[in-house]
Amino acid sequence: MSGGRAATGRWELAAAWAFVLGTGTAAWALAAAALPLPAYYLPPPTAVLGALAELVVKGILPLYVAESLRRILLAALVALGVGVPLGLLLGMSRRLADFAYPLLNFFQSVSGIAWLPLMLVWFGFGERTILVAVNYTVFFPVIFNAMLGVRSVPRLYVDALRTLGASRGRIVRDVLVPGALPAIATGMRLGLAYGWRALIAAEMLVGAHGLGFMIFSAQAFHLTARIMLGMGIIGLLWVVLDYVLLRPLEEATIARWGLVQR
Amino acid sequence: MRAATVLRGTLPFAVLVGAWALVAGAGAVPAMFLPPPADVARVAWELARDGALALHVAASLARVLVAVAVSVPLAVALGVLVALHRRLAAVAEPIVAFFNALSGIAWLPLAVTWFGLGWASVTFIMFNTVFFLVFFNTLVGVRLVPRLFEHAVLTLGGSRRHVILHVLLPGALPSIVTGLRLSLGFGWRALIAAEMIATSTGLGFLIYNAANFHQSDTILVGIVTIGVLWLLTDRLVLQPLERRTIERWGLVAAGS
């Protein structure tokens, strides 16, 4: 495809996009005005904009966004700093990996939200419960995939380096860790996807600030415009995080270090 | 050989339960926080005997099944239809991606506003989660089918219907099955959270309600049940399904 055609394609797409968003919003406004429903069932788009302005002016929205982002970022850092090295270590020993596999598989398949009731008994309604639930949810897919990543490196590469006289440290640095990178990126993406949703759920249930708390508490007062605003922001934040950071990272690691054998 | 595999799968859990029994038995942690495994087993037996566990499991599974039965056919049909028009698909993809990002528990407040607390709200959340993920993956799957195959069938005199039934749908199947796996993973988690808030049956309700009475033993029974149910679904439904679709319809060889 020539550059010119690609450019027209992009303009066409942008125009189509504007059209779809425009008609969608118009249809929504029309439905909100025409349907014989109580106003709180389907507030018009203007009410959502109004809620946005109100919450920004009051400073609530920036605060809640910052709170939610701080929590998920902390979980991401813990998973990167502790989960990845631990997973790599486990993966390097066949015996340890065999032992850890069923356990990690079990713990990663139970979401952090299922542990939340137990955390409530242990820590009560508060920040600590939210953090434990979210960290748990991100941590296990990351450590599990890091371990699988090391295990999936073909023996051939390890043997090749060993034959050439490489030390154990050299093999870890040049073969095992780079070979595990695509799996680590996949694990981070999956873990954070689950973690973001677990965070929203935990904020609803525990109720200590954050976007989940914002939309859940709005429900009690029938502030539906506020709910829709919160949902829009929750979705947008994830789309940005996923498409700007996580997906490119995953694709880059697979392109650079992917060991798919053909 | 077989015995060794079983041992490899169960030994780690035996060690874990042993360590748990030691910690709980040493009395360092009050039983209210960490009941010993024997207590949990006793509560599990009681819940199983009086039918409460079966009731909650059935409620959760029924919600999953209803959501899957309704939304998967709808999502696949709609996904193929939209993907037939490549331009429409290019416009639709980011919109569906946005709804994927939103899928799950974030719908709960709106669902409760619209349908009230209860069965309808929880099913609506499940429906949303499964529908958009399967829709998205069908869309992407159909778009990834090489046009060559489509042209080949058309050249040989195949109709549009032939192309859909024998090229696009089979070609998209591996992607659709991936979508199903993802949607069940996200849906199952969303369901547990939604049951905590919006209903009075289901495993989510069981464990959240138990937290109100500080019944850690009941909570642990629920957690283990949730984990085991997922592992069974994975082993008995998803993995065989994936293996078969990829073996039968995977386009790996043709693509590379």
Side-chain angles (χ1 to χ4, degrees):
Chain A
M1 195 188 280
S2 73
R5 262 193 71 189
T8 14
R10 209 167 298 150
W11 279 112
E12 250 176 57
L13 201 63
W17 250 85
F19 175 75
V20 168
L21 285 183
T23 32
T25 315
W28 170 14
L30 202 69
L35 288 179
L37 291 169
Y40 69 84
Y41 262 72
L42 188 66
T46 47
V48 176
L49 284 180
L52 172 68
E54 186 202 337
L55 291 178
V56 169
V57 169
K58 284 186 180 166
I60 296 175
L61 190 62
L63 176 75
Y64 283 4
V65 169
E67 280 285 285
S68 292
L69 285 180
R70 180 178 62 76
R71 286 168 180 151
I72 196 73
L73 211 72
L74 185 71
L77 288 178
V78 169
L80 258 183
V82 184
V84 170
L86 223 57
L88 291 174
L89 271 180
L90 285 176
M92 280 170 204
S93 150
R94 206 196 135 86
R95 277 199 189 172
L96 274 180
D98 277 352
F99 184 81
Y101 181 89
L103 292 176
L104 292 181
N105 193 21
F106 177 80
F107 283 114
Q108 74 138 5
S109 61
V110 181
S111 103
I113 278 306
W115 288 94
L116 193 99
L118 196 62
M119 297 305 123
L120 284 175
V121 174
W122 286 3
F123 306 122
F125 284 84
E127 180 76 12
R128 212 186 302 176
T129 298
I130 297 181
L131 287 182
V132 171
V134 175
N135 273 285
Y136 173 99
T137 312
V138 181
F139 186 80
F140 279 99
V142 171
I143 185 174
F144 187 63
N145 278 283
M147 184 183 88
L148 288 187
V150 176
R151 298 306 308 159
S152 70
V153 173
R155 290 288 307 176
L156 187 68
Y157 298 143
V158 177
D159 292 340
L161 250 76
R162 192 170 290 156
T163 317
L164 292 169
S167 65
R168 187 148 174 87
R170 201 66 210 266
I171 291 173
V172 168
R173 190 159 47 97
D174 290 347
V175 180
L176 296 181
V177 172
L181 277 180
I184 291 171
T186 304
M188 280 301 285
R189 205 177 136 224
L190 190 67
L192 284 174
Y194 283 140
W196 180 241
R197 288 159 175 84
L199 173 67
I200 302 299
E203 286 173 348
M204 286 184 186
L205 287 159
V206 177
H209 297 308
L211 288 164
F213 171 70
M214 179 180 123
I215 59 175
F216 191 63
S217 56
Q219 194 273 323
F221 303 104
H222 281 320
L223 296 169
T224 312
R226 197 177 279 198
I227 298 176
M228 289 177 157
L229 172 70
M231 288 170 68
I233 292 170
I234 289 168
L236 269 182
L237 281 178
W238 179 255
V239 167
V240 169
L241 192 65
D242 195 32
Y243 282 82
V244 174
L245 188 67
L246 297 173
R247 266 172 210 260
L249 199 69
E250 191 180 0
E251 275 154 25
T253 44
I254 290 174
R256 173 74 181 74
W257 288 288
L259 291 172
V260 178
Q261 283 178 314
R262 296 191 188 271
Chain B
M1 199 58 199
R2 189 122 182 106
T5 325
V6 171
L7 185 71
R8 221 170 36 205
T10 48
L11 182 72
F13 288 105
V15 172
L16 183 72
V17 172
W20 166 17
L22 270 182
V23 173
V29 189
M32 189 187 85
F33 292 131
L34 189 67
D39 282 17
V40 175
R42 191 175 43 75
V43 171
W45 169 243
E46 277 165 19
L47 284 173
R49 207 184 38 186
D50 73 3
L53 192 61
L55 179 83
H56 291 301
V57 168
S60 291
L61 288 183
R63 288 173 189 133
V64 175
L65 283 178
V66 167
V68 168
V70 175
S71 49
V72 169
L74 210 62
V76 170
L78 216 63
V80 172
L81 270 181
V82 171
L84 282 179
H85 306 273
R86 307 251 155 183
R87 281 182 191 188
L88 187 63
V91 176
E93 213 182 283
I95 298 173
V96 186
F98 175 78
F99 278 100
N100 269 340
L102 200 56
S103 70
I105 199 65
W107 280 93
L108 185 101
L110 202 57
V112 171
T113 302
W114 286 346
F115 306 112
L117 292 171
W119 210 82
S121 279
V122 177
T123 311
F124 174 74
I125 290 166
M126 275 298 290
F127 174 85
N128 257 320
T129 310
V130 176
F131 176 82
F132 284 111
L133 271 163
V134 175
F135 184 31
F136 184 75
N137 278 275
T138 309
L139 197 65
V140 173
V142 172
R143 295 184 79 195
L144 284 179
V145 175
R147 302 211 74 170
L148 186 68
F149 298 157
E150 210 179 314
H151 293 317
V153 172
L154 287 175
T155 315
L156 292 169
S159 65
R160 196 92 199 248
R161 212 170 59 99
H162 277 117
V163 171
I164 295 174
L165 286 181
H166 299 298
V167 180
L168 298 182
L169 209 50
L173 265 185
S175 177
I176 294 173
V177 172
T178 305
L180 187 67
R181 160 179 288 279
L182 280 175
S183 71
L184 283 179
F186 282 107
W188 182 238
R189 288 162 163 79
L191 178 73
I192 300 298
E195 284 177 343
M196 290 186 189
I197 298 169
T199 62
S200 50
T201 49
L203 288 164
F205 168 77
L206 174 75
I207 57 177
Y208 194 64
N209 190 48
N212 289 331
F213 303 101
H214 290 263
Q215 293 165 335
S216 296
D217 37 20
T218 307
I219 299 176
L220 282 165
V221 171
I223 292 174
V224 172
T225 311
I226 289 168
V228 168
L229 279 177
W230 176 256
L231 290 180
L232 285 178
T233 312
D234 186 46
R235 187 64 58 85
L236 301 180
V237 182
L238 292 173
Q239 282 180 11
L241 202 64
E242 277 170 341
R243 216 173 303 129
R244 261 183 234 173
T245 24
I246 290 173
E247 263 169 26
R248 172 77 180 73
W249 288 289
L251 292 172
V252 179
S256 62

